[in-house]
Amino acid sequence: MLIHIQTTSKTYPVFIGEKALQTLTDHLEKADYTKILIMTDFTVGRLHLGELKSYLSGVVEYCVYKVPVGEKAKQFSVYEEALTFALDNGLDRKSCIIAFGGGAVGDLAGFVAATFMRGIRFIQVPTTILAHDSAVGGKTGINHPLGKNMVGAFHQPEGVYYFTDFLDTLPLSEIRSGFAEVVKHAFIADKELLDFLMNSITDLTKISKQDLGYILKRGIEIKANVVHQDERENGLRAVLNFGHTLGHAIEANAGYGTVTHGEAIMTGLVYALYLSESETGLAVDIHRFEQWLGTLGYQLEISNQFDFDKAITSMKRDKKSFANKPRFILLEKIGQPVIKEIAEDQLKKTYEKFILTTQLQRKS
């Protein structure tokens, strides 16, 4: 499958399927890269680096830099070490970085590419479901102790090569994490997709290849359409953060990597549904949705130590906030997101209702 991503700054392809790596080889044979830096994490490197190397051998000179797994990769210290590695290995302005891994590796590698010698080219080779979202759109960056993705740059890749066989080795926690972004795309843009997910997917370990291909393709198409209209998040693109305001706060409070990105986002998404119900009159059976999430293994838990005061402090640091006032992506109806500033007392009231409801559901 081929999808074209069109932005103000660049147009590039996304290849999905079993021939993606051969297509990557074809691209490298035609390109003028002086050297390739493969950035991956230790788990992906152990599982899949040999296969990627087999497609690169004899085609282009390359070196490999491995980083910690997950959000631990997105630290200032790892970023600095990656830049040093690139300099030590002779990368120049015509070199290229391959981001080989999930969302964290893609974010880090893209940010290294965006800032090394003021910007070099990079390629995304995703290995997770979550990366169907993060690999497209050009957002790159690392975390700050006070907030997720607070340091970064917009830097579009040369292409995305999505070899879906890599997904066969994903643990359930990573499948669940990536699936949350699929659900997000459905809520903000496609009721038919949401209906399909809720009616067809009851076990995340038994998604057929055909259904997975459809889900990934549709999610990328939705994101591509938003990015095409608003590459640098001046307005519309913020809707892609549905569920992320509280979700990022949960991640930061727990310690990056303690809770998977997708599971934190799913909790934030349900909270945003409760807010939408009270603020926009959204008519959705939230209880049915929560029950479905339960069958898929989502916990929707918030630590008892993460009270509203801590939550609101983190949410005010969110990139959508202005003048220290949190703004949320809500839904008027499925497929119709809106950006809304909400009074703090209403946020607290809904937060407490949400926590109480989830606690009662866990006991029942």
Side-chain angles (χ1 to χ4, degrees):
M1 291 182 283
L2 171 61
I3 302 170
H4 289 287
I5 309 298
Q6 294 182 317
T7 71
T8 304
S9 64
K10 182 178 288 186
T11 298
Y12 56 92
V14 178
F15 296 95
I16 308 170
E18 60 184 14
K19 295 182 179 180
L21 292 185
Q22 182 56 56
T23 307
L24 171 62
T25 300
D26 296 341
H27 168 74
L28 295 175
E29 287 177 336
K30 297 173 185 176
D32 62 347
Y33 306 131
T34 54
K35 195 169 189 177
I36 295 290
L37 167 58
I38 301 171
M39 290 185 64
T40 190
D41 67 40
F42 288 99
T43 298
V44 174
R46 174 174 53 83
L47 292 171
H48 303 303
L49 185 57
E51 185 157 15
L52 178 63
K53 283 182 174 181
S54 71
Y55 282 88
L56 270 58
S57 295
V59 176
V60 64
E61 183 183 357
Y62 65 85
C63 54
V64 179
Y65 181 68
K66 295 180 182 179
V67 302
V69 175
E71 293 296 317
K72 292 180 180 178
K74 294 170 61 174
Q75 302 179 63
F76 282 95
S77 59
V78 178
Y79 166 67
E80 182 179 4
E81 289 164 6
L83 291 171
T84 301
F85 184 89
L87 290 166
D88 286 344
N89 283 270
L91 268 71
D92 58 35
R93 286 180 173 172
K94 296 192 88 174
S95 298
C96 179
I97 294 175
I98 291 181
F100 184 46
V105 167
D107 285 354
L108 171 67
F111 187 46
V112 172
T115 52
F116 182 76
M117 295 189 176
R118 297 191 176 93
I120 63 173
R121 291 168 288 183
F122 87 112
I123 291 167
Q124 291 271 16
V125 181
T127 61
T128 66
I129 296 174
L130 181 64
H132 90 279
D133 178 73
S134 59
V136 175
K139 275 189 176 182
T140 71
I142 56 177
N143 299 328
H144 188 280
L146 295 180
K148 186 176 172 71
N149 296 330
M150 286 297 175
V151 181
F154 289 96
H155 191 55
Q156 300 293 346
E158 299 301 297
V160 180
Y161 299 84
Y162 209 149
F163 183 56
T164 49
D165 283 8
F166 287 145
L167 304 181
D168 293 341
T169 59
L170 286 178
L172 179 57
S173 61
E174 284 301 320
I175 296 173
R176 193 177 292 125
S177 181
F179 191 74
E181 294 286 0
V182 177
V183 174
K184 175 202 74 176
H185 286 135
F187 266 111
I188 66 171
D190 191 342
K191 186 178 185 302
E192 286 187 12
L193 175 59
L194 182 62
D195 290 340
F196 171 81
L197 296 175
M198 292 186 65
N199 293 327
S200 303
I201 309 299
T202 56
D203 186 336
L204 292 178
T205 65
K206 296 179 180 178
I207 304 175
S208 70
K209 290 277 187 183
Q210 181 178 356
D211 287 348
L212 183 60
Y214 163 66
I215 288 167
L216 295 175
K217 181 174 183 288
R218 188 68 193 109
I220 291 171
E221 288 172 341
I222 290 169
K223 182 159 189 182
N225 181 55
V226 174
V227 171
H228 171 64
Q229 298 177 70
D230 179 18
E231 180 179 3
R232 293 181 174 266
E233 201 167 332
N234 293 315
L236 175 66
R237 185 168 176 169
V239 302
L240 293 169
N241 287 311
F242 181 56
H244 286 57
T245 307
L246 178 60
H248 281 171
I250 292 170
E251 284 186 272
N253 177 76
Y256 296 121
T258 303
V259 180
T260 68
H261 173 73
E263 290 182 294
I265 294 317
M266 191 65 88
T267 301
L269 187 154
V270 177
Y271 176 59
L273 290 178
Y274 276 90
L275 283 173
S276 298
E277 187 177 54
S278 62
E279 294 292 311
T280 70
L282 174 69
V284 169
D285 189 343
I286 300 177
H287 180 61
R288 175 174 174 256
F289 178 66
E290 290 174 314
Q291 287 182 317
W292 176 64
L293 294 181
T295 66
L296 299 180
Y298 290 96
Q299 298 298 314
L300 304 180
E301 290 185 4
I302 297 178
S303 167
N304 290 331
Q305 284 72 42
F306 193 49
D307 60 20
F308 179 76
D309 290 339
K310 290 181 180 177
I312 193 65
T313 298
S314 295
M315 290 190 289
K316 284 179 178 178
R317 293 194 190 108
D318 185 83
K319 295 186 293 296
K320 295 183 298 300
S321 298
F322 293 129
N324 210 34
K325 296 178 181 178
R327 299 163 82 231
F328 276 76
I329 309 304
L330 304 181
L331 299 177
E332 291 185 332
K333 63 166 124 179
I334 296 171
Q336 290 188 14
V338 292
I339 305 173
K340 238 184 145 184
E341 185 178 303
I342 305 174
E344 192 169 319
D345 60 343
Q346 182 59 41
L347 292 175
K348 182 176 183 178
K349 179 180 177 182
T350 305
Y351 188 84
E352 292 172 347
K353 174 185 176 183
F354 171 57
I355 289 179
L356 178 60
T357 302
T358 53
Q359 287 176 341
L360 290 173
Q361 287 174 345
R362 282 198 299 274
K363 292 178 181 178
S364 62

